[in-house]
Amino acid sequence: MKKLVFVLLALSIMGFMGCPSSGPTLPPTTTGGGFFFSTFTSFNLAPPVIAPVTTIQGTWVKDQPAAVGSPATWTQTSNAAGIGIVLNGRAPADWKAEWKFSLVTACEGQTVAVTVHFVDDDVGLLCAVTTVVLG
């Protein structure tokens, strides 16, 4: 009887505490999403230039009203013109974009928060590189 009470008490505590969360709950995937991204680099506050062949990983953060598409994490590489496509990516929604590969290695690992305002939006992703000269 003591064992049965202990087991019931342990199960009650576990059910009350719940499981730890690893982040926000993803909304269900629907059809009708998708957006473009453009990759740019700026050196020492100069005007941005196209950053071709850049691999970006996008992680969904939260929806904006009336969002459609998939909140799944994606990894896409921009083309020679610095343009990439996220087929059925959630929009409108907030995303975190991380530079996974770039011809400018200082950009790798940098992240930028971006809001996709509507389906087929083209969001600009900028990596700013500043050179500090110590003298």
Side-chain angles (χ1 to χ4, degrees), residues 70-88:
S70 174
T73 298
W74 51 266
T75 302
Q76 296 292 331
T77 302
S78 63
N79 63 18
I83 298 170
I85 301 172
V86 181
L87 296 173
N88 203 38

Side-chain angles (χ1 to χ4, degrees), residues 5-111:
V5 171
F6 177 74
V7 170
L8 290 175
L9 181 61
L11 290 174
S12 297
I13 291 171
M14 288 171 49
F16 185 68
M17 291 173 50
C19 297
S21 176
S22 61
T25 301
L26 296 178
T29 296
T30 64
T31 59
F35 58 91
F36 299 87
F37 65 89
S38 298
T39 50
F40 300 95
T41 306
S42 172
F43 298 94
N44 297 319
L45 303 177
V49 295
I50 293 170
V53 193
T54 300
T55 302
I56 301 291
Q57 182 177 63
T59 305
W60 175 86
V61 175
K62 69 177 185 175
D63 277 352
Q64 297 295 327
V68 294
S70 174
T73 298
W74 51 266
T75 302
Q76 296 292 331
T77 302
S78 63
N79 63 18
I83 298 170
I85 301 172
V86 181
L87 296 173
N88 203 38
R90 197 96 172 143
D94 294 344
W95 290 86
K96 179 183 84 169
E98 181 179 354
W99 294 61
K100 291 296 191 177
F101 171 80
S102 175
L103 299 175
V104 178
T105 57
C107 290
E108 293 175 8
Q110 289 196 30
T111 60

